[in-house]
Amino acid sequence: MFYKVVALVLIGVWVGGRTLCAVISGEDVAYVARLARLRLTEDEQAQMTRDLSSVLGYVEHMDELSLEDVQPTARVVDLVNELRPDEVKPGLTKDQALANAPEVADGGFAVPAAGS
Amino acid sequence: MSQDLLKLSAAQAVSAIQAGDVSASELYDFYRRRASADEFNSYLSVDSDSTIAPAGGELAGVPIAIKDLFCMEGVETRAASKILNGYVPPYDSTVVAKLRAAGASFIGKTNMDEFAMGSSNENSAFGAVRNPWDPTRVPGGSSGGSAAAVAAGTAPWATGTDTGGSIRQPAALCGLVGLKPTYGAVSRFGMIAFASSLDQAGPITRDVADAALMLKHIHGKDASDSTSIGLPEDVVAPSAENLNGLKFGIPAPLDWGGVQTVVKAVFDASCKRIEAAGGEIVELPLPHADYALSAYYIIAPAEASANLARMDGVRFGQRADVSGGLTEMYETTRGEGFGPEVKRRIMLGTYALSSGYYDAYYGQAQKVRTKIVEDFKAAYETCDFIITPTSPSVAFGLGEKTDDPLQMYLSDYFTVPISLAGVPAISLPAGLATSDGSAVAEPGTEGALPVGLQIAAPHFAENKLLDAAHVFERETDFADGPWTWGS
């Protein structure tokens, strides 16, 4: 899959000098779903392939703009190093923090074994 | 008597209780009964304990409905998602805590699009909300339950949240006032996060005075949200008499192609009313506004894909019953727990952030955002406000756009640029359309549907915005809705 992504990027660079490539394949969708830890049914995967292609095709017009020297904006409000006083305050108790957990063991969150 | 209670706005109800004309418990019981009998699927839960705020608060115990996106201590909070089934927060969101401290009583949690993703409220895991003006149509989204509750008179007012239009658009489609404050004016602590650089809480109300009253009590810097700033001055009850000397800018490159004719007609009439009240209409360039929707539908899903990573079946909510290991548990829990639109946004965001595509999509979108912020700054050097319709169309039919996500996203054409710029904006009732959307309708016309006007102001100019909105509201012969029709 990694090579496929690289190949798509290279094709994108070759075609337009940019990496936008709105044609999404079923394999792309399966790969991204894996990254997102999201199980999709076969029907969902087919629908997702169509939907993502449609939306990514629409947003491609951003590429008309030449923005090489523009700084990206992550947040619009100018705040730098917002610090609060370093005071000890009551937080959630362990019982409160665990109260919503689907499974608890030995005072912690219990999960199925990793890697099995 | 009950019809009289229904006619009171939230601010009027505060006065009536303080004057001893009405008791807080009478008003609360009245609304709780109405909410319990709600016909529009506006509520996910209605308070069963009859917890009325202690007397003496500034809000005098007046009831309020809370969007299910806000955590409330001891009250199931699901953001209308199955994946949060059974989640009972051990704490209040700051907005709820502030309303509680001000003496509000809580009626219930309102329905919404799952995790606030949607423009029609059809993405709730607990069923679509219907529009009280016409139950075959959507109320807008994502704060559709809040808007339907206020429009139907099952709550005098409600909280909403707005990421790309989720307060303003349902307010417009339900004939109400919806205010999205400046990004940072209201704390996001305890609001289940969708897109953290855009999310803002705000009021959905029947009139501008109520919007000001709620904003007064919910804004403020909060140590629990380091992006919160609060407003630089107290929010005051709007009192302006006219719009003399104020310039209202219409973005010149507005694409009217996708806008319903009647929406344009109501907008033109709104401009005339602004001029009649002393305001001046000017055209101004917002050259990058046309790219806003694209930038938004990359940035918001990208942030959502990161925020929703916490919905993993470990600490809260439901977990899928699987026999395999941790990864299978994550994938199945999320596959079963999220609805189609949330999956779509997570996929879109994950794709846009993935190696090899980051610069082309997310990086480019953030640069477009910079240009949009610059456009707004330049625009406010030549005008006081920017005006547009709130929504390109009146409320559409249930199911009409669910098969085409892109068409649904285009509903946010006018609201999204403002969200990216982080400036405050209000949607106001501006007129009515005939039920088929073909012509402007007079107040009282059978089956008429509301059309909204959006007014946006510079950062932190909420008082000025509320004043202008108050004047516009007074000039508009359309200040009622389903809640006055009686039932």
Side-chain angles (χ1 to χ4, degrees):
Chain A
M1 190 58 224
F2 173 74
Y3 292 105
K4 182 165 172 50
V5 172
V6 171
L8 279 174
V9 171
L10 289 176
I11 292 167
V13 170
W14 177 65
V15 170
R18 282 205 159 266
T19 51
L20 292 188
C21 185
V23 183
I24 306 298
S25 71
E27 283 172 340
D28 293 333
V29 166
Y31 173 69
V32 174
R34 184 83 183 153
L35 290 179
R37 296 288 184 269
L38 197 57
R39 175 143 304 157
L40 300 179
T41 64
E42 269 180 40
D43 285 351
E44 282 177 326
Q45 197 168 312
Q47 183 66 42
M48 197 68 78
T49 308
R50 288 193 291 276
D51 291 347
L52 292 196
S53 294
S54 154
V55 174
L56 291 170
Y58 177 83
V59 306
E60 219 165 48
H61 75 142
M62 284 193 298
D63 214 30
E64 298 161 9
L65 301 169
S66 301
L67 304 174
E68 282 74 24
D69 301 326
V70 176
Q71 287 298 310
T73 294
R75 263 171 217 287
V76 290
V77 173
D78 293 327
L79 288 171
V80 181
N81 292 344
E82 277 295 302
L83 302 175
R84 58 169 172 74
D86 187 17
E87 293 163 355
V88 177
K89 286 182 186 166
L92 298 181
T93 64
K94 188 162 78 177
D95 286 345
Q96 282 178 315
L98 292 172
N100 280 289
E103 197 184 343
V104 171
D106 300 331
F109 299 107
V111 295
S116 61
Chain B
M1 182 62 205
S2 64
Q3 284 312 307
D4 294 340
L5 288 181
L6 202 49
K7 281 182 184 143
L8 296 173
S9 70
Q12 288 166 344
V14 169
S15 304
I17 293 169
Q18 286 168 345
D21 297 339
V22 179
S23 79
S25 62
E26 181 189 4
L27 189 70
Y28 183 81
D29 289 341
F30 171 75
Y31 273 107
R32 204 166 61 90
R33 268 199 308 276
R34 288 184 63 83
S36 302
D38 168 61
E39 294 166 7
F40 305 101
N41 201 24
S42 313
Y43 288 88
L44 295 179
S45 64
V46 175
D47 177 43
S48 52
D49 302 334
S50 291
T51 24
I52 299 162
E58 275 190 65
L59 294 177
V62 166
I64 188 167
I66 301 291
K67 186 178 182 180
D68 198 36
L69 201 75
F70 293 91
C71 286
M72 270 182 85
E73 185 177 350
V75 178
E76 190 178 30
T77 298
R78 296 174 290 189
S81 181
K82 271 195 302 190
I83 206 165
L84 282 176
N85 266 340
Y87 173 57
V88 179
Y91 67 102
D92 275 340
S93 54
T94 298
V95 165
V96 166
K98 279 172 144 330
L99 288 168
R100 204 187 286 283
S105 304
F106 300 102
I107 308 169
K109 303 297 290 289
T110 55
N111 203 345
M112 54 183 281
D113 283 299
E114 184 179 1
F115 290 113
M117 297 175 188
S119 310
S120 69
N121 217 124
E122 291 166 292
N123 297 331
S124 167
F126 306 104
V129 177
R130 293 179 295 131
N131 191 321
W133 290 78
D134 175 353
T136 68
R137 293 171 191 265
V138 305
S142 68
S143 309
S146 290
V150 179
T154 58
W157 57 351
T159 62
T161 65
D162 191 312
T163 303
S166 282
I167 287 174
R168 292 162 282 161
Q169 186 251 17
L173 269 45
C174 290
L176 301 168
V177 173
L179 172 68
K180 183 202 85 75
T182 305
Y183 181 82
V186 180
S187 168
R188 292 179 295 108
F189 180 69
M191 257 168 66
I192 296 169
F194 163 12
S196 304
S197 79
L198 297 159
D199 296 343
Q200 259 302 278
I204 294 182
T205 57
R206 292 181 200 164
D207 63 25
V208 176
D210 278 4
L213 180 63
M214 195 191 304
L215 182 64
K216 175 184 164 165
H217 289 289
I218 62 174
H219 87 89
K221 188 172 176 62
D222 178 10
S224 300
D225 173 6
S226 62
T227 63
S228 67
I229 298 173
L231 293 168
E233 52 192 28
D234 282 343
V235 178
V236 294
S239 60
E241 297 283 324
N242 57 60
L243 301 173
N244 291 349
L246 295 171
K247 282 187 184 167
F248 292 75
I250 304 174
L254 267 192
D255 178 6
W256 293 101
V259 179
Q260 252 178 354
T261 317
V262 68
V263 170
K264 176 82 167 75
V266 169
F267 182 71
D268 291 342
S270 303
C271 292
K272 290 209 176 72
R273 244 177 286 140
I274 287 169
E275 287 176 323
E280 185 187 345
I281 304 286
V282 296
E283 281 208 344
L284 52 82
L286 277 181
H288 298 88
D290 224 23
Y291 297 92
L293 203 61
S294 294
Y296 177 83
Y297 274 99
I298 294 298
I299 290 170
E303 294 184 15
S305 71
N307 275 326
L308 294 186
R310 74 190 58 155
M311 307 297 164
D312 60 3
V314 174
R315 289 153 297 164
F316 35 68
Q318 70 178 32
R319 175 187 291 186
D321 189 15
V322 295
S323 54
L326 185 60
T327 305
E328 190 189 334
M329 188 281 283
Y330 287 150
E331 290 181 339
T332 313
T333 294
R334 290 161 62 80
E336 289 176 0
F338 291 133
E341 181 60 27
V342 175
K343 288 179 184 171
R344 200 146 42 222
R345 306 257 183 133
I346 289 174
M347 290 291 291
L348 198 51
T350 306
Y351 181 81
L353 291 175
S354 66
S355 173
Y357 296 94
Y358 183 95
D359 287 341
Y361 288 108
Y362 188 64
Q364 185 78 356
Q366 284 193 309
K367 288 177 175 182
V368 170
R369 188 172 186 183
T370 302
K371 301 307 287 181
I372 288 165
V373 170
E374 288 171 2
D375 283 357
F376 272 82
K377 266 193 193 134
Y380 285 130
E381 279 168 21
T382 58
C383 70
D384 298 281
F385 303 104
I386 293 171
I387 51 171
T388 70
T390 308
S391 162
S393 73
V394 295
F396 42 91
L398 285 156
E400 206 175 289
K401 296 187 183 181
T402 40
D403 291 337
D404 188 347
L406 188 56
Q407 275 310 308
M408 190 71 91
Y409 297 172
L410 291 170
S411 317
D412 305 336
Y413 180 76
F414 293 118
T415 49
V416 150
I418 282 146
S419 300
L420 289 172
V423 297
I426 195 165
S427 179
L428 297 164
L432 292 166
T434 53
S435 58
D436 59 358
S438 66
V440 175
E442 291 302 314
T445 305
E446 176 82 18
L449 297 166
V451 177
L453 173 75
Q454 175 175 247
I455 311 179
H459 288 135
F460 302 112
E462 269 81 348
N463 275 331
K464 221 173 114 183
L465 176 62
L466 288 160
D467 257 342
H470 169 71
V471 174
F472 182 84
E473 173 181 67
R474 224 183 29 194
E475 299 291 318
T476 305
D477 179 25
F478 157 46
D480 64 356
W483 68 89
T484 60
W485 301 347
S487 60

